[in-house]
Structures are given as C-alpha cells and as structure tokens.
Amino acid sequence: MAQTINTEVTRTDARRKVTGTATYAADETPSGMLHGALVCSAIAVGQVTAIDTSAAESEPGVVAVFTHETLPDYKTVKGFYAGGPGSSSFWPMEGTDIRYAGQPVAYVVAETAAAARRGADLVNVTYQEADGSIHMDPEDSFVVGAGEDSEGMVLTKGDLQAGLDEAAQTVDMTFTTPFQHHNPMEMFSATAEWRGDRLTVWMPSQSVRTLRHGIAGAYGLPETSVRVISPFVGGAFGSKAGITPYAMLTIAAAKGVGAPVRLIVTRPQMYTVATFRPESRQQFRLGADAQGRLTAFEHVEIAQTPQFGEIVNPGTHITRAMYACPNIHTEQRLARSDTNSGGFMRAPNEMQTFFGLESAMDELAWKLGMDPVELRRVNDTMTHPTEDVPFSSRSLMESYDAVSNSFGWDQRGREIGSMTDGDWLVGYGCATATYPTNILASNARVRAQGTGNAYVELAAHDVGTGTYTIMAQIAAARLGLPVEAVDVVMGEADLPVAPISGGSTTAASAGSAVHDACVKIAQQLATQISGMSEGPLSGVDPSRITLDDGTLRGPDGQSQSVMEALQMIPEGEIEVVGTFRHPALTDQLIKATFSGGYGTAGPVTPEFAMFAFGAEMVEVRIHKYTHEIRVPRIHSAFAAGTWLNRKTAHSQLMGGMIWGISSALHEVTETDKPRSRFLNANIAEYLVPVNADIREVRVEMLEEQDDYVNPLGVKGIGEIGIVGTAAAIGNAIYHATGKRLTALPMTISDVLST
Amino acid sequence: MPKTPPDLRRPGVSRRGFLQGSSVVAGSLGIAAGAAQAQDSMPSAEARTITMNVNGKVRSLSVEPRTTLVEALRDTLGMTGTKIGCNQGQCGACTVLLNGMRVNSCLTLAVMAEGAEVVTVEGLADPNGDLHPMQAAFAENDAFQCGYCTPGQIMSAIACIDEGHAGDEAEIREYMSGNLCRCGAYPNIVAAIVQVRDSQQG
Ligand code: FES
Ligand code: FES
C-alpha cells in the first residue's frame, strides 16, 4: 500500500478543474432563470430622497425594478460579530438610510445579464448627502469591551514602565496598514430558486450551514426546506463566509418575480457589498537587555470599524504569544468610520500585527547589534508568555535554522547597504510567522464498501485548499484504499455538520471527524468479524483489535485487511458518522457550530497553547537610480504538525507567501477622502501580483508531532504563509537602504522619500 | 512560424500596459459619483443570428449586438467552463482562443466571432477522455488552487507556447501576466508550461 498521508498527491478534483467541468455557483442555471443587477449608492452617508425607476422599467428585457419600497418579503439577519450569520449588522434597502458608499439601493431583474446591467444604469436615484469619513481617526479610538475583561482585550503583566526603564535598548514605533479587499477571482454571486416555500440557493460559500441556518431562520422555514449548494468555490479568503445583503436581496427578488434569479456582483461592487480588511495602526514599544532578552513588550492595535457594529480581530492576542517577556501590556482598540462592515481577510489578526511586531523586532536587533535570528532565539519560549501554559509544540527556531540553511543567511552582509550587485542594492530580511490552531466541532459520514470503495460526506468546503483531496487521503489511509477509490461529497448544507472554512480549521477539525469515522468502522467491523465462526480474527476479543491503516490487528499477530473483513459481513459495507469533539470544546461552543456559527476553542486551552510556527527570509533588490523594489527570492520553513498532502500544502503556503508579497508591495484599497469611498475598485488598479512579479518561492515543510491538537496531529496552514512576509520584506529593504518603512504597501516613493 | 496576436506583438506589452489602452471598459476612476457606480452598460438592440465554430462544432445562436462572447458561451450556449473574473478585461479568466489567438472573451462581442473558430477549455481534451498535455501538466504541477482562473490560464498557456513566447521562464512569466491568479499558483503555472514546452520540443 503506497503511503497516502504526508506525501504528494495530485488533487482529486484536478481533472474537473482543468477541463472546465468543476461547477462553481454561477455555473448553475435553473430553468426559467432571470438575471439580477444591483444599483449601488453614489454617496457614502445620507438619505435616498427619490428613486425613479420608470426608464429602467420600460427598458426591453427588464422584468422588475425593486427598491426599499417595493421589494417584497426581504429579510435580514444579525451580523457575524454580533453573534449572527450576517456579513454586516447594517442592512441596506430596509429604508432610506445610506451608511456607506456603494450600498445597494435598488435591484433590477431582467431576462439577460446585459439587460439587467442596462436597467441598473437607468435607475435614477436622488440623494441628500451628509458628511462622512472613510478613514478612522486613530486619536479617537476606544477599547473593545470593558477594559481588563475576560476576553483579554486589555492585558497587563508585570510592570511595563519598569521593563522599559531597565532596558539596554528600546524601540517605540508605529505602523499603519491599509484597507484591503479579498478579491477572489470568482466574483460574488447568488442564485435563488423558490418552489412554493422551498428554497434553493447556489452561492460560493465558506459555510453552507451558516447560510442555510440563517436564511431558514430569517424566513421562518424549517432547515429541511432550504438547500444551499456550493461544491466549488473560486477563492474566498474570508469574503464568502457570512450571509450578505446581496444574497438576501436576490432571495427576495426571486420571490418577487416568481422565477429563479442569479446575481453576479460586478467587480467594482465587490468592494462595497461585502467585507474587507479594516485599516489599522499598530503601536509597539519594546525593550531588551544587552543580551537581547525582552524586558518590555507593549502592543496597542487600533483597527477600523464601521459606525454600526464592532469588528474585532484581536491581533494582540497573537503577538503577545510570541516572545518571552516579564512585562507585557497589550490593548485592542477600535476607531469608527463610514464604511460597510469589515471582516476577516486571510490572517485577519496576524498580517497587520506581524508586519508591526516583526519590523520592530528587526529594529531592536539593529539597535542591539544582534543578528535578528539570534534575537528571536534568545526570546524563544516553550511557555505562553501571558497564559502560563506550555505550547503543545513549537518549532520556531527549527524553522529559522532550516530556512537559514536553504536561503544562505550566513552570506548576509553585516552593515546596511553593504550588499550590491551592479546597479542593485541588495538586502536580506527575516521574520517570524505564526498562526493559532483553532478548534471546531465537526461530523463526517463515511461509508466503506468491501468492493474497495468509500464515500465521505460532510458539509465542509474546498475553497482551493485541497479539502476534497485530503479528506479522501485520510479515509484512504485509514481504510487501506487508493485515494482514487474514495469519493468525497462536500459543499452542501444537507450533509453532516462541518465547520466554517475559516481560521485554518478544516483539515484539522473536519479531517479528524473523517478519521474518527474510519476508527468507528474498524471497531464495528471488529465486533462483527470476531463473532464469526471463521476468519483470522474469529473469537478474538474485539476490544483488543486495533486499526493499523487498512489492517485490523489482533493481540497475537492475527490480522485481516479492512476490505477483506468488510467482504465477510453480510452487509458488505459499514456506514458511520464520525465526530470530532476536542476536550477544549465546551457545550456552548459545540452548540454554536451546530447552529451555523463559529464555535472555536483555542488557541489557548487550560492545558496548552496551540500555534503553528514558521520563519521567512527574503532577498530584496532595490535599483540604485529608479528605486524599483524587487523580490527575487523568498524562502520559508514551517512546522504545523502533520502534513497531509505535501503538494497541496506547498501550494497553500506558497500562495500565502505570495499574498504576503502582495500586502508588502502591491495591495491597497485607495480612498477618495472627500467623497468617503473606495477609489480603485477594480482588479487592474487594485494591484495584486501578476506572474511576472513572482520569482523564486521556496517552502520547506518540517516534520513536527503534536498529539494534543487533534488525533491527526494537524495544525492549520491556510493562513500562516502570509504572516511574516511583509515584515521580512520591510526588514530587507532596511538592510539594503537604511530606510525603515512603516506603512503598507511599501512603494518606490517610500524608498525615494527621505 | 509562431502565431502572434496583433496586440501582443508590441514589445514589452504587459497586463498593465494593455489596460491603459482599455480604460474605457475598465471604468475610469470616477470623478462624478454617478459614473463610478455605473455598469458600463450598452443599449439593447435587435438580436441577430450568428454562426461560429465552437470546439469543432458549428453553432448558430441568436445574440444582441451588445452580447459579449463570454456571455454567449456561458448563458446562450450553456458552456460554463469559461469563467468571468471581472467582465472588464482585467483578469484573463475568460481567455479563449479566437482563430487560434488568445482573447479576453468578456471584451469580445459575440458578433465579432461570427464565422470564427472558438476554442474553449471544454474543447481541449480528446473525446476519448485523454487530457490535453497542458491540462495534464497543470494537474500534475498543482498549477492552481481554487481552479477559477484555470480555464483562462490553460488557454493562455497553450497560446503562449504557440506564439513562441515560452523561451525561458522570464518570458513565460511576462507573457502569462495577463492572467491573474489570486491563489498565487504562478510558480507552478510556469513549471507546467515549461514541462509542456520541453515535451513538445523533445
Ligand atoms: S473576465 Fe474577462 S478579463 Fe476578466
Ligand atoms: S487557482 Fe484560484 S485564482 Fe488561480
């Protein structure tokens, strides 16, 4: 039996993806379907005073134009950060209020997409405009929650001032990060079809069960009356988790016209009708003794939040887990501005904060005259600095040592500007990456057949993460089958409960449920075959029969393959539901997940702190005269427990690092301040790397065993790749030029300016 | 003779350079509030019947003058393999071959394809199920994650080699830069193209 785990397996859905037969939500066309189009607000704050729909309504092909006054049976749900399933806690088209630019104000239904677009352009909206501000004022911020509360939004350990006073060197730095938009390549869409009071929704989703639970609840329907289907998702990165207003508008519009309706949100509208990464300010004060040991650590994060709702992605909870220090103070603050709700975008707590932390650490290393890798080494810790529990596993310095080797860190010039190549200034930089191991409850159904097949079913999602493949690998490994013999069905709310695909949790949590199902199949099988009159395990105490990847083994060396054993039982197959309930999951958390929410435990439990770690190193080249910034090489090493599939894991980590390059050098949602709106709302002027921007990317995946996180020993890897990159690039720019850049993205003009 | 689409023959043309030329469709950075929210729609007009050869089959279809090729393929013919990533000529997800040259089918009106030969991702594999070498190389090299940009990448990759723009990795990267991949599969896409190029030369 070839090895199926911790090896390179080609995606089981590869054939469908390369032949165009993978069906994304907008590829479904229910019969009689009409096309929707949104009309979005041209102002940011104020009121709709009138909507003239007459021109649109008389346009050929237009079937209906709905406004807040005419859209029938439109329902809304509570926002995610208020404990609901919604992408926002403010719902457009409930009245005349305009709270952000690009807010939907009317909905056109037509026979073709072109007619719907035309109709949308012909809707004439009149507004009364009020003043607004798209940017937060960091000077006008507030602490989340009640201060020193149980959630740790403000945390003090030791005496920060004393730690600063006794330090040999200190740094006091402020960093800023901009608004960013996920921009998955697949545009947002929703298709709704009502048949009586039964509803089917096709929508790309990171959580089909959140969608179904929320939609059914809003309409007062039993969940069995609502189907949500999302077999393939064209990238999500956090943007497709909640119930969006455009989805609820489409559901209402379909009801209103009595026909299925599909809306494809335009690329510009994608910047305003869903979530984004809020802008932030990161303030750090660090102090260290002459040997580099931290004596003081302060991090205050101020993140943007809308006028309604509080979007809290607590980055300080992650930074304070990083390095040993006796005196720590962290604060999680928010500041308001006039936008739609932000949300979580790939590494929502980590990308911004680690740009700050790891840049500040680099600055501290220069002040101390230390190699930045050595500064991380002297502050490495196997105990969580503020929680007093050990890490379940932590291979930070192993990661640094591995990446130093592959990168050639020892070739780094000691002085700033000491490395050149012709007209290019060369700099090396490094940074730490980490990501918490979040834990969620999950179920999975597995049916193993003695004919040499298995079916795995669960309401998880493959958003490009390779989930179809790894679920098949887990079942194949446990049952002793080739990966191709396992069919995996996911992306439907009717399937057994699996959590939101977010927070890098699916492989660990849902994968553990698949594992558990296979173990249960083996137990059931052991009971049946041990009671049979014949066979190698006949008469053996079933409690002493164990599953050893495809083989049932008795205590005295007897064995039989799972497939042979299945052939012996009359049914020829066994079907069970496996579960994953980590001891850290409380009843309340399990309940949250089972009702469509995000009931996550960890990363800190009463016993352990659970994080994946890694280190990144980059070479930056800056042209002496043009100051163009290039990243010819980026290397990394990560340790994240068990690797399930080295091929897809590599792609995820590499993709994360490319996201990091993007955050460092390309990505920013520009704003039109006078009009309080996002400016470059398209995928040409919102820069993301193109192929020519990306050169050598090397990823090393270290072996690490962690028996505490889950039975598979898997930590998540969807997000860690992005975490250290921006700081590593900034640190390399400093090494090359002596310029410390503190705002993302870092551009030619930043390097030019003095 | 490598076939080179006219708009790619100019040296140094890149996605960004190309976009400057298509800013009308891309939507200008809005000065007037209303304009920024507009969908760049076109007025309706009477439909007409056109004929084109799609993946080796002659198809007749009724389209309005404003109907784009991608909407004709997806909505009229029900061929959803070709994807829409922006509908503005910015991402390359909708790339198809039109008379052997790669085009953004969202920027191409269906009527412009009258009498033309169109090849989409659905037309690459052999009817017996064997994948086109580029499809196989994409699968083997994990040249995608979500797979949404993939149909466009594969069509573009085939054209990239056909045009003679796959000389070295730097050239491949440059000539594949009209196809965005938000998942960041670029190094693997280049590896897939190199593999196919080498096997064709071998
Ligand atoms: S959909 Fe045509 S270029 Fe993006
Ligand atoms: S594979 Fe997801 S956008 Fe390219």
Side-chain angles (χ1 to χ4, degrees), chain B residues 83-94 104-106:
Chain B
K83 302 301 178 209
I84 301 176
C86 67
N87 234 349
Q88 296 182 308
Q90 300 177 336
C91 75
C94 63
N104 287 337
S105 60
C106 73

Side-chain angles (χ1 to χ4, degrees), chain A residues 1-7 9-10 12 442-448 453-458 460 465-488 490 505-522 547-551 562-563 578-580 642-646 648 710-715:
Chain A
M1 190 72 225
Q3 190 184 344
T4 46
I5 299 261
N6 194 9
T7 184
V9 177
T10 295
T12 54
S442 185
N443 285 3
R445 183 161 52 229
V446 175
R447 178 154 58 117
N453 294 85
Y455 297 89
V456 175
E457 298 175 327
L458 68 167
T465 39
T467 312
Y468 279 115
T469 312
I470 58 170
M471 295 302 159
Q473 285 178 265
I474 294 165
R478 296 297 100 95
L479 299 172
L481 290 169
V483 175
E484 319 73 80
V486 182
D487 266 12
V488 180
M490 304 191 307
T505 55
T506 298
S509 293
S512 293
V514 173
H515 165 91
D516 181 63
C518 296
V519 172
K520 282 182 176 150
I521 285 172
L547 173 66
D548 174 15
D549 277 2
T551 306
V562 171
M563 286 301 133
T579 62
F580 175 58
T642 305
W643 303 103
L644 293 169
N645 185 340
R646 285 185 163 265
T648 55
N710 51 63
L712 296 168
V714 168
K715 299 176 179 176

Side-chain angles (χ1 to χ4, degrees), chain A residues 155-167:
Chain A
L155 184 140
T156 306
K157 170 189 155 183
D159 182 342
L160 182 78
Q161 194 53 50
L164 289 167
D165 291 345
E166 77 185 64

